[in-house]
């Protein structure tokens, strides 16, 4: 009951936000639709009686009235239906948007979590599965209303004939409902098991709808392998639907039996009443009552069908609501205001962190101070915790113990947007969006990019040595890049894409640069140029850079060496070299190649 | 070809049904039983009316027998459908597998956006307009025909006139519907770029991969606005479609009512003039709608079949893509690879990325290609692997034009490491080698790349999954660890030629050194093509190819290039100077 209420509320909320008129229109059209079978059956009865008793004296008037009424009702219903289908589309899109907003605002910790990603997959399936989402709830509600109206008038008419008929119909319907309920339950259990088949299919489709992946896959015969995987998935899907068929087959079998009992007894009762010489029933009445009983039984079953459907659908919709109502752990409503013009001092105090799915600490008792003017290089082997440190700093994750302070204020208490706006991050797995180059750099729509912005973009592209390449394209900074939905777009090389990512970061802020392996795909000459440019031209207050190569390291004022989640060395390049510790070993290992040559 | 109704679709469905003997049998049984079942209740009604008030026991006997018969027939039909589902789904899967197989083996030249679209459309065709739909429409078509013939036998000959009436109107109805269907189909086509754009946006917003960046750049509001715009555009198009559908419905309704009016007038006139009995009149009244629906059903199935055939074009044109079948040269052993005056230009650019490039590499040699970003290093790899074709010039493998070489045999001889290479959310084992897998060999390779340490660190073995997308216990590797896995795959294949595009990116120095050491140890058995922006590997190379913008090329061994005192010299000295500066 709770779930049904929740999903109806959700439907109401969505309708209120997008299409206020939808629900009233649906109810009007349903009410009209509910009466249309009555019009037909009443007409047949009247016209047969008229011909039989009066030799068709009023036949023409009856036909005219009937057809007129029928035309009117059906025309209105069509117009309303048309409006409903149009508005329905808006509601479906609205659900997509709600889902998108939720994912974009969700804590990264949850997004990376496997259980939540399964929950997300369920939610995604619900909204892309038309009969299972909010639209399904709307349909069920409409069906219920229609059922009620029909049941009421059918029962009134039948009570004139024989009460037993109503009794039999109700009994059969009750049996049918139990049947329906059981099969739905089994289907739902089956569905729960099948979620991963769909996830598998999604992944496969994502992989094979990318031309460059397909070309590469041929080298190791992965194309054949993917083909096998696809067939495997088809097989799994087949087994799933066969099981589903089996459930519905059992259900249908039982339904047929109930149908048989119902039909037989109703026919017998009506014929017995009709053939009784005391009754005044006419042939028209016979046709009328037969169709009314059929109508009653079908409306009863559709009423309960929709009732069960509502119960069932709301379970699916609840999957979706559960997902979008996952509360964020990280609070974004800090109130402390930060003076953006001042100098910064970042401080890590006893910070520890551990990922959800792991027992070991990724970072343990980190103490660290970073001041304005610092150029910091984070050094360490793969998996030592460098990236985690940066995620904490950027408030993508929150420390389990300890706190991070900015100018003495815990960063949790600082307004999230102000805080984030200070950083210029480049991640290892940066993305290129299927938009124009200038949009990719400014991260806003081209309509919002004015001349000043273009100048800024141009100067940044010069700093990153992207300018010439971009202006060699036909549409210069308005060239659409990336792969997605346009047919004839330019695909940048990996190095160029990385430069776009660096320009993007520099465009965003010039305060604190956070560069996670920014140079891994850039050639050495470019690397040195860009590094110089970032340091000299863009004038960051603070640069924090992760790099496993030491080419740019002597430009940095401080080097922090992390190993197994702990800071083991911290100092300038010369200090660390003289220290002859861990860093010295790492550095020497890289230098070995050069030394051998000499 | 466009928008024309395609009879080949009918043939396609026919072929499947006739080919599958059991399916044919099921179909015939279903058609006969289905139409028989539909006639039982009208027949019962006729008997009741004919014996009105007179013969009560007879009527009751009939009621029991006929309803029981109907029950049995329906049970049999359910059973048949249950069996038939299995066949249909098997056939469907078979076709789908064919399609996927065809797509995954398509020629590299044809692999473009258009082809991917064609594939996706074919998939939609198979799942939505394919066999289940076509088969059911076929069955309905014949069922309805037999039902109508049966109804004529139950009633009198006047019913033929009525049928003609209904037929004329229904044909008009269907013609209009078909015309609109083509219009709606075209309108749908028009909306497809918008829909794609919309789903790209949702894809970006829904995908975990983008979440981090969206958060840090506050891109959510931009994307939401963008999507709102696209939704608005889409709504305009959809509105048009719904309008067209609405008008169609309206016209259909009007025709339907007009038709009803004419039929009623006809039978009333017949009844008043005592041409038909009152019993039959009652029967007419109650069966007229089922008449109309049966006839409509026939034409409806036809129009559905035609409608599906519109989509069949997508499928057939994809499946009928021609493959070059001139004879290919099968490579037994790689001896020599040669680029001769190769030029290449991307479609969307004005300048050649590669201009007049010539170089060669023979068995046992190592070639390093160096240069800045965007000078076409990766393009050379793509040309070498036949992902792209040169605009001018030729590439020779063992003196055969690469275009005439059997690609499978060629690919068997090489292992490649790409930038952004592909990994799949399956087990490590599957990621290293798709088919047969030798654990000892894999351990050996992973020792060379130190991937074994990564496995120890995460406490996993080769059966664990890469990524937790499909498996709760899967491991998500960091960038460097991924690169180590990729290198392991490359070494595992152990082929005659190694093509390594930036192998050291994301690797820590220790791993990189270890990898180069083990690579150089058995260098003699391989041809190695190394693409790098770092010069470290040049010292071990027999040949070096230096690329710069505007097609500038230096080619030779290290000493030759240093003596040139040009770009390579500059890069080389800068690299060393830089490091010397550090060591001071």
């Amino acid at each position: 009951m709770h779930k049904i209420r929740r999903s109806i509320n959700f439907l109401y909320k969505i309708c209120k936000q997008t299409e206020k008129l939808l629900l009233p229109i649906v109810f009007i059209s349903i009410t009209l639709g509910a009466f249309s079978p009555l019009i037909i059956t009443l007409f047949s009865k009247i016209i047969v009686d008229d011909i039989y008793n009066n030799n068709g004296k009023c036949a023409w008037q009856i036909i005219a009235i009937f057809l007129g009424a029928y035309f009117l009702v059906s025309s209105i219903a069509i117009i309303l239906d048309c409006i409903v289908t149009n508005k329905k589309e808006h509601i479906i899109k609205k659900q997509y948007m709600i889902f998108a907003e939720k994912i974009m605002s969700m804590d990264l910790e949850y997004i990376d979590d496997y259980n939540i990603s399964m929950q997300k997959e369920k939610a995604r399936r619900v909204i892309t599965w038309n009969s299972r989402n909010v639209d399904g709830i709307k349909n069920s509600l409409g069906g219920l209303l229609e059922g009620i109206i029909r049941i009421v008038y059918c029962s009134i008419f039948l009570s004139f004939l024989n009460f037993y008929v109503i009794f039999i119909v109700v009994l059969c319907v009750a049996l049918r409902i139990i049947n329906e309920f059981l099969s739905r339950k089994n289907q739902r259990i089956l569905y729960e098991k099948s979620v991963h088949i769909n996830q598998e299919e999604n992944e496969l489709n994502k992989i094979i709808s990318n031309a460059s992946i397909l070309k590469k896959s041929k080298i190791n015969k992965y194309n054949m392998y993917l083909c096998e995987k696809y067939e495997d998935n088809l097989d799994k899907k087949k087994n799933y639907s066969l099981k589903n068929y089996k459930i519905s087959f059992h259900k249908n079998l039982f339904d047929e039996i109930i149908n048989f009992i119902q039909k037989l007894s109703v026919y017998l009762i009506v014929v017995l009443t009709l053939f009784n010489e005391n009754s005044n029933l006419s042939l028209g009445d016979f046709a009328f009552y037969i169709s009314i009983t059929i109508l009653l039984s079908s409306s009863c079953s559709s009423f309960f069908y929709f009732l069960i459907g509502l119960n069932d659908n709301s379970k699916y919709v609840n999957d979706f609501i559960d997902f979008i109502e996952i509360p964020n752990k990280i609070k974004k409503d800090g109130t402390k205001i930060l003076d953006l013009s001042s100098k910064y001092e970042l401080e890590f105090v006893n910070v520890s962190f551990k990922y959800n799915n792991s027992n070991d600490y990724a970072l343990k008792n980190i103490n660290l101070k970073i001041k304005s003017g610092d150029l910091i290089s984070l050094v360490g082997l793969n998996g030592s915790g460098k990236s985690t440190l940066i995620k904490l700093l950027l408030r993508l994750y929150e420390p389990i113990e300890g706190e991070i302070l900015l100018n003495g204020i815990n960063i949790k208490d600082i307004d999230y947007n102000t805080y984030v706006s200070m950083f210029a991050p480049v991640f290892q797995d940066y993305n290129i969006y299927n938009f124009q180059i200038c949009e990719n750099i400014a991260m806003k729509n081209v309509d919002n990019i004015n001349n000043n912005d273009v100048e800024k973009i141009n100067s940044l592209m010069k700093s990153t040595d992207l300018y010439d390449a971009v202006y060699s394209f036909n549409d210069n900074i308005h060239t659409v890049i990336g792969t997605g939905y346009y047919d004839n777009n330019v695909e940048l090389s990996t190095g160029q894409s990385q430069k776009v990512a660096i320009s993007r970061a520099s465009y965003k802020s010039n305060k604190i640069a956070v560069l996670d392996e920014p140079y891994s795909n850039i050639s050495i000459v470019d690397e040195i140029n860009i590094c110089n440019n970032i340091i000299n031209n863009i004038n960051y207050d603070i640069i924090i850079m992760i790099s496993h190569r030491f080419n740019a390291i002597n430009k940095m004022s401080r080097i922090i060496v992390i190993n197994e989640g702990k800071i083991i060395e911290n100092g300038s390049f010369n200090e660390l070299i003289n220290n002859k510790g861990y860093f010295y070993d790492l550095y020497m290992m890289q230098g070995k190649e050069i030394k051998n040559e000499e | 070809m466009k928008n024309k109704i395609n009879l080949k679709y009918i043939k396609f469905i026919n072929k499947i049904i006739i080919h599958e003997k059991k399916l044919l049998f099921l179909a015939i049984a279903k058609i006969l039983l289905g139409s028989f079942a539909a006639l039982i209740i009208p027949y019962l009604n006729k008997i009741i009316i004919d014996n009105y008030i007179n013969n009560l026991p007879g009527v009751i006997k009939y009621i029991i027998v006929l309803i029981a018969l109907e029950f049995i027939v329906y049970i049999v039909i359910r059973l048949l459908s249950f069996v038939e589902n299995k066949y249909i789904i098997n056939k469907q899967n078979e076709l789908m597998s064919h399609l996927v197989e065809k797509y995954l083996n398509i020629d590299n030249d044809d692999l473009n956006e258009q082809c991917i679209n064609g594939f996706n459309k074919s998939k939609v065709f198979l799942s939505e307009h394919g066999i289940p739909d076509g088969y059911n429409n076929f069955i309905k078509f014949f069922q309805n025909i037999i039902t109508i013939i049966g109804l004529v036998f139950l009633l009198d000959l006047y019913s033929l006139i009525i049928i003609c009436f209904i037929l004329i109107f229904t044909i008009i109805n269907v013609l209009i519907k078909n015309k609109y269907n083509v219009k709606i189909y075209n309108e749908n086509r028009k909306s497809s770029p918008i829909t794609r754009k919309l789903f790209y946006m949702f894809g970006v917003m829904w995908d975990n991969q983008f979440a981090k960046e969206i958060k840090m750049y506050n891109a959510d509001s931009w994307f939401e606005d963008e999507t709102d715009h696209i939704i608005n555009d889409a709504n305009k198009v959809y509105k048009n479609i719904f309008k067209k559908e609405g008008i169609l419905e309206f016209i259909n309704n009007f025709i339907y009512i007009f038709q009803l009016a004419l039929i009623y007038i006809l039978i009333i006139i017949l009844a008043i003039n005592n041409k038909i009995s009152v019993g039959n009149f009652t029967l007419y009244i109650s069966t007229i709608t089922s008449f109309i629906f049966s006839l409509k059903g026939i034409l409806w199935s036809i129009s559905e079949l035609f409608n599906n055939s519109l989509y069949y074009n997508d499928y057939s044109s994809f499946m009928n893509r021609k493959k070059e079948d001139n004879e290919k040269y099968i490579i037994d052993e790689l001896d020599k690879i040669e680029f001769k005056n190769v030029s290449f230009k991307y479609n969307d650019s004005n300048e050649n990325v590669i201009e007049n490039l010539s170089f060669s590499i023979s068995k046992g040699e190592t070639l390093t290609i160096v240069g800045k970003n965007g000078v076409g290093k990766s393009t050379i790899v793509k040309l070498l692997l036949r992902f792209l074709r040169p605009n001018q010039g030729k590439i020779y493998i063992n003196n055969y034009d690469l275009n005439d070489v059997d690609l499978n045999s060629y690919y068997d001889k090489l292992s490649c490491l790409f930038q952004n290479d592909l990994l799949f959310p399956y087990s490590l084992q599957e990621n290293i080698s798709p088919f047969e897998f030798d654990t000892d060999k894999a351990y050996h390779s992973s020792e060379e790349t130190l991937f074994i340490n990564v496995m120890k660190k995460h406490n996993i073995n080769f059966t664990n999954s890469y990524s937790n997308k499909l498996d709760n216990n899967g491991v998500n590797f960091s960038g460097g660890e991924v690169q180590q896995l990729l290198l392991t795959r490359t070494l595992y294949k152990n082929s005659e030629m190694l093509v390594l595009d930036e192998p050291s990116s994301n690797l820590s120095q220790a791993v990189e050194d270890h990898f180069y050491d083990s690579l150089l140890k058995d260098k003699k058995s391989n041809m190695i093509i190394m693409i790098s922006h770092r010069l470290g590997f040049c010292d071990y190379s027999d040949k070096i190819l230096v690329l710069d913008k505007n097609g500038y090329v230096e080619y030779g061994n290290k000493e030759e290039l240093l003596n040139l005192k040009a770009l390579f010299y500059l890069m080389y000295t800068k690299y060393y100077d830089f490091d010397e500066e550090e060591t001071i």
Side-chain angles (χ1 to χ4, degrees), chain A residues 360 381-384, chain B residues 423 428 432 442-443 445-462 464-467 474-488 506-508 510-512 514:
Chain A
D360 304 328
L381 292 178
N382 292 327
S384 57
Chain B
L423 286 169
L428 293 178
I432 288 172
Y443 270 115
S445 311
S446 49
E447 268 163 19
E448 294 186 341
T449 57
L450 293 180
F451 185 66
I452 199 144
N453 294 350
V454 177
M455 294 205 295
K456 272 181 200 152
K457 183 183 141 202
H458 291 289
N459 197 13
I460 52 175
N461 58 32
F462 287 118
N464 284 64
S465 283
Y466 163 79
S467 123
V475 182
N476 283 334
F477 293 124
S478 73
E481 291 167 344
V482 166
Q483 188 76 1
Q484 275 165 277
L485 174 57
L486 290 171
L487 285 171
T488 310
N506 293 336
L507 285 188
S508 69
V511 178
E512 190 181 335
H514 190 88

Side-chain angles (χ1 to χ4, degrees), chain B residues 376-570:
Chain B
K377 283 176 302 188
S378 298
T379 312
I380 292 181
V381 176
K382 285 181 189 160
L383 288 169
L384 178 68
L385 297 175
R386 256 295 263 109
F387 292 176
L388 301 170
R389 270 179 209 258
N391 298 78
Q392 280 160 21
K394 289 253 160 74
I395 300 167
Y396 294 100
I397 312 289
N398 296 358
N399 296 326
Y400 287 86
D401 189 339
L402 180 53
N403 293 334
D404 301 329
V405 163
D406 177 66
L407 282 183
N408 279 336
S409 72
Y410 176 50
Y411 286 158
D412 278 344
K413 303 288 173 299
L414 24 111
S415 347
C416 286
L417 175 83
F418 301 98
Q419 290 188 48
N420 301 327
D421 208 340
L422 45 148
L423 286 169
F424 308 98
Y426 310 129
S427 71
L428 293 178
Q429 181 174 325
E430 289 164 287
N431 273 301
I432 288 172
S433 170
F435 293 105
E436 69 274 24
F437 181 79
D438 176 353
T439 319
D440 292 336
K441 204 172 141 196
Y443 270 115
H444 182 69
S445 311
S446 49
E447 268 163 19
E448 294 186 341
T449 57
L450 293 180
F451 185 66
I452 199 144
N453 294 350
V454 177
M455 294 205 295
K456 272 181 200 152
K457 183 183 141 202
H458 291 289
N459 197 13
I460 52 175
N461 58 32
F462 287 118
T463 52
N464 284 64
S465 283
Y466 163 79
S467 123
N468 61 5
K469 273 182 191 158
L470 296 178
D471 180 2
N472 196 6
N473 300 318
V475 182
N476 283 334
F477 293 124
S478 73
E481 291 167 344
V482 166
Q483 188 76 1
Q484 275 165 277
L485 174 57
L486 290 171
L487 285 171
T488 310
R489 176 205 289 170
T490 317
L491 291 184
Y492 178 89
K493 199 177 171 193
N494 194 17
S495 14
E496 293 175 27
M497 179 161 85
L498 266 180
V499 180
L500 301 167
D501 193 352
E502 303 285 1
S504 60
S505 64
N506 293 336
L507 285 188
S508 69
Q509 195 60 42
V511 178
E512 190 181 335
D513 287 347
H514 190 88
F515 170 68
Y516 280 152
D517 283 348
S518 48
L519 186 66
L520 291 167
K521 251 193 308 191
D522 25 59
K523 170 190 157 190
K524 287 297 165 232
S525 60
N526 287 326
M527 262 189 220
I528 300 177
I529 297 183
M530 166 81 75
I531 285 112
S532 174
H533 51 251
R534 313 189 58 206
L535 302 178
F537 203 73
C538 290
D539 302 337
Y540 310 108
S541 312
D542 302 303
K543 286 173 179 169
I544 298 167
L545 183 69
V546 187
L547 298 176
D548 197 16
K549 276 170 194 163
N550 311 321
Y552 179 84
V553 173
E554 288 172 20
Y555 175 54
N557 63 27
K558 191 179 146 198
E559 281 69 37
E560 283 168 13
L561 293 186
L562 282 177
N563 290 337
L564 266 181
K565 299 240 179 234
L567 182 69
F568 182 71
Y569 175 77
L570 214 70

Side-chain angles (χ1 to χ4, degrees), chain A residues 74 106 114 120 208 218 221-222 225 238 267 425 434 445 494 508 522-523 548 550-551 587 590, chain B residues 45 90 103 106 200 206 208 215-217 226 253 373 412 419 430-431 472 507 509 533 578 582:
Chain A
S74 56
M106 198 168 211
Y114 172 80
K120 180 182 145 192
I208 66 172
K218 287 180 185 165
K221 292 211 165 58
Y222 274 108
Y225 193 65
K238 179 181 120 186
Y267 256 92
N434 197 176
N445 189 288
T494 325
K508 178 171 179 254
I522 291 186
S523 70
H548 55 257
F550 298 138
N551 293 318
Y587 186 75
Q590 183 163 33
Chain B
N45 286 346
N90 274 340
Y103 170 69
I106 220 152
Y200 171 75
W206 290 358
N208 296 351
K215 270 186 211 317
M216 290 317 296
Y217 285 92
E226 197 77 38
N253 187 40
N373 274 96
D412 278 344
Q419 290 188 48
E430 289 164 287
N431 273 301
N472 196 6
L507 285 188
Q509 195 60 42
H533 51 251
F578 190 66
E582 279 183 355

Side-chain angles (χ1 to χ4, degrees), chain A residues 14 45 52 173 231 264 290-291 300 314 411 457 498 559 595:
Chain A
I14 285 193
K45 172 189 146 61
Y52 189 56
V173 165
E231 279 166 23
L264 191 63
I290 287 284
S291 27
C300 275
S314 53
I411 56 171
I457 290 170
Q498 203 158 18
I559 293 159
K595 282 235 166 64

